[in-house]
Every structure is written in structure tokens, then in C-alpha cells.
């Protein structure tokens, strides 16, 4: 049985680790990465890197590599690949499961401003402060490029390229982040306002707590739409159970050969 995990997230890596911790005979696990990060943290198991060439390319890959189960564990803001996965899975008749962590919800003391896009977040900023902690990643900085009156602390894994805000400092780092560390960042850089995507998950949530404690507003960019009709689980452990269920139904579990030959 061949499982393809579309990765690039903590959850995707965790799922690959859970599968590697308890190896299952006859279960092949491949993780796919887009190749955006120069030195990614690699998951155990097989890894392939780079785009497939749209939904058709992904469907062809699924057929060519006899994939039996596809798990879309990409980031909630990676909208294109999720729609491609839904189309490709339907075309290639491969079951698809989405592993998507839930979004964050505000708690008492939070001052959140909803934005539908990075562009809307940029429009809100001048009314909220002058020193901005921008944690939306190095892609999409163009949306903030015209805000010459504001200063930005941009945190990203790799250095951002142009276009970007004129007045900007870069903080190269990757999660998980600690509350103590986030408090220090806000203090040291005299931050007035934080901008984040509604990524969800624990690894990058401490900035929200630090902002609440400091009484700072947070601009939260809402998630893009996800494809309808795809079953969703929210933790790697739930995804692991789904993989085990699929495996139990697969001939590999009985040491046999698949009913449908490779490429069939
Ligand atoms: P995207 O806009 O949804 O996808 C753009 C294209 O990148 C896709 O059409 C596909 O190319 C390729 N691609 C994306 N994920 C892939 C994967 N796991 N394996 C192979 N190809 C992939 O994605 P994105 O927002 O640029 O994100 C790229 C990767 O970074 C994703 O894997 C995601 O999990 C991770 N990530 C994204 C964010 C974010 O905020 N967007 C944050 C953290 C991590 P083809 O059409 O050629 O197949």
C-alpha cells in the first residue's frame, strides 16, 4: 500500500514520524514538499520535492506511483495544492483525506481585527500602530510594500525577496516559538501591532498570548476556502487511525498483492 502525504507542515511531519515509529509491513510512505524552504526539516520515509504540474500532473503521479491513499496535510493557507489534490484524487480514483489543524479563536482580552486577505490586513495597519510584527511569511510581502510610514519586523524561515516594505528588519527563525521568546520580541522591538494568518496550532500561538498580555491589537488574516466534500481530521493521530483503517482493508495487510495492479 502506498500513502502519499502532501506536506510542508508540522502535522505532516508528525504523521510521517508516527508511521515510522511503528513500521507496517507493506506500507510505503512518501511525503511531498513544495521546495519553498531552502533547508526543510525532512520527515522520515521517502521524500519527493517540487510541484507536480497542477491537478493533472498530480493525478498522473498518483497513477504512476500506484498511490492508494492521499493525505493533504498542507498548510491551511496553501489553497491551490488542496484544490489540486481534490481534483487529482477524483480523477485518479484515490481516496483523499485532509489533515487540517483548526483555526484559532479569540479569548477574553484579545483585540483581534479580522482581515479577508493580506491586502486588507495592510489597509487596516495605519489605524492600528506604526511598528508592526509581521508573521505571515516571506511570500506576500508585496501587500505591505506601500506602507512607507510604518516599520516592519518580518519573521520568516528564509530571507524575503523584493518587493517588501521599505522600512523593515528581518528576523530569520522558525517555530515552535515560546511565550518568553515572543514577549521578548514584542518588547525589544517596541511592537504596536501583530499581523498573523489564522494558521492555528500550538507552535506559533504564543505570539497571540504575548500580544494579549501586552494589550496589543492583532490583525488575523482569515483562511482561504478549502475544497468541499473532502473528509477532514485535525490531528496526526486521527490521520494515523485513518491510515491504519485503510491498510486493514488493503491486500497488503494480508501479505497479498493489490487487487488492482500497479498503474491499473
Ligand atoms: P499553494 O499556493 O497551495 O501551491 C502552489 C503550488 O506549489 C502548487 O500548485 C504545487 O505546484 C506546489 N505545491 C504546494 N504544496 C506542495 C507539496 N506539498 N508538494 C508538492 N508541490 C506542492 O502552496 P503555498 O502556499 O505556496 O505553500 C507551499 C508549501 O509550503 C505547502 O506544502 C505548504 O504546506 C507549505 N506552507 C505554506 C504556508 C503558507 O502560509 N502558505 C505556511 C507554511 C507552510 P504544482 O501545481 O506544480 O503541483
Amino acid at each position: 500500500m502506498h500513502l502519499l502525504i502532501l506536506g510542508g507542515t508540522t502535522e505532516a511531519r508528525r504523521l510521517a514520524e508516527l508511521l515510522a515509529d511503528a513500521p507496517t509491513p507493506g506500507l510505503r510512505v512518501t511525503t511531498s514538499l513544495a521546495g519553498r524552504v531552502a533547508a526543510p526539516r525532512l520527515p522520515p520515509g521517502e521524500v519527493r520535492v517540487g510541484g507536480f504540474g497542477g491537478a493533472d500532473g498530480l493525478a498522473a503521479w498518483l497513477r504512476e506511483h500506484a498511490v492508494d491513499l492521499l493525505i493533504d496535510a498542507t498548510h491551511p493557507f496553501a489553497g491551490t495544492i488542496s484544490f489540486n489534490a481534490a481534483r487529482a484524487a477524483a480523477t485518479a480514483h484515490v481516496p483523499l483525506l485532509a489533515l487540517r489543524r483548526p483555526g484559532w479563536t479569540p479569548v477574553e482580552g484579545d483585540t483581534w481585527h479580522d482581515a479577508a486577505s493580506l491586502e486588507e490586513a495592510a489597509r487596516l495597519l495605519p489605524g492600528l500602530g506604526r511598528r508592526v510584527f509581521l508573521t505571515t511569511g516571506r511570500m506576500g510581502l508585496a501587500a505591505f510594500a506601500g506602507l512607507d510610514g510604518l516599520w516592519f519586523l518580518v519573521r520568516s524561515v528564509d530571507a524575503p525577496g523584493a518587493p517588501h516594505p521599505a522600512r523593515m528588519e528581518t528576523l530569520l527563525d522558525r517555530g515552535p516559538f515560546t511565550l518568553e521568546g515572543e514577549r521578548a520580541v514584542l518588547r525589544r522591538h517596541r511592537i504596536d501591532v501583530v499581523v498573523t494568518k489564522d494558521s492555528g496550532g500550538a507552535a506559533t500561538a504564543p505570539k497571540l498570548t504575548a500580544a494579549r498580555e501586552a494589550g496589543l491589537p492583532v490583525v488575523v488574516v482569515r483562511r482561504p476556502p478549502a475544497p468541499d466534500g473532502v473528509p477532514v481530521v485535525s490531528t496526526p493521530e486521527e490521520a494515523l487511525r485513518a491510515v491504519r483503517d485503510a491498510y486493514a482493508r488493503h491486500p497488503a495487510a494480508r501479505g497479498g498483492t493489490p487487487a488492482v495492479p500497479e498503474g491499473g
Side-chain angles (χ1 to χ4, degrees):
M1 172 172 155
H2 190 187
L3 165 67
L4 176 64
I5 303 170
L6 299 174
T9 57
T10 309
E11 287 75 12
R13 208 174 50 247
R14 181 72 192 130
L15 174 59
E17 283 166 3
L18 289 171
L19 288 160
D21 285 350
T24 308
L27 176 64
R28 174 181 171 198
V29 180
T30 305
T31 298
S32 174
L33 301 176
R36 296 279 188 283
V37 175
R41 285 183 187 139
L42 292 178
E46 293 177 46
V47 177
R48 68 160 300 284
V49 181
F52 295 95
D56 292 343
L58 177 53
W61 202 97
L62 296 175
R63 287 203 196 94
E64 212 172 293
H65 296 83
V67 172
D68 299 286
L69 176 63
L70 176 62
I71 296 192
D72 170 18
T74 57
H75 192 270
F77 279 79
T80 307
I81 187 72
S82 292
F83 277 92
N84 286 354
R87 264 188 53 202
T91 308
H93 305 291
V94 172
L96 168 65
L97 177 73
L99 166 55
R100 197 170 298 121
R101 53 176 107 121
W104 290 313
T105 42
V107 301
E108 205 182 323
D110 280 327
T111 312
W112 286 11
H113 299 262
D114 239 26
S117 62
L118 293 175
E119 288 71 22
E120 191 185 341
R123 280 196 295 277
L124 291 173
L125 281 177
L128 295 173
R130 292 166 46 109
R131 297 180 65 84
V132 184
F133 184 24
L134 190 55
T135 66
T136 48
R138 73 193 164 98
M139 315 297 271
L141 287 188
F144 303 90
L147 296 171
D148 293 342
L150 309 187
W151 177 87
F152 289 84
L153 177 66
V154 173
R155 182 163 67 193
S156 57
V157 177
D158 290 321
H164 58 65
R167 300 174 60 222
M168 171 184 107
E169 193 175 310
T170 308
L171 183 58
L172 294 184
D173 204 353
R174 68 170 117 200
F177 301 105
T178 65
L179 179 56
E180 200 42 59
E182 299 296 58
R183 284 179 182 137
V185 169
L186 298 186
R187 230 181 7 245
R188 191 177 327 121
H189 296 278
R190 292 176 287 115
I191 296 297
D192 299 321
V193 53
V194 177
V195 185
T196 181
K197 291 175 174 172
D198 180 16
S199 299
T204 57
K207 66 188 165 193
L208 302 173
T209 309
R212 184 188 317 129
E213 288 176 356
L216 299 183
V218 180
V219 178
V220 181
V221 182
R222 281 199 299 274
R223 294 178 170 200
D228 287 330
V230 177
V232 181
V233 294
S234 54
T235 65
E237 289 72 17
E238 286 174 90
L240 177 67
R241 278 198 290 279
V243 174
R244 290 206 171 126
D245 287 350
Y247 178 80
R249 291 192 300 271
H250 193 275
R254 296 184 292 276
T257 47
V260 180
E262 292 205 357

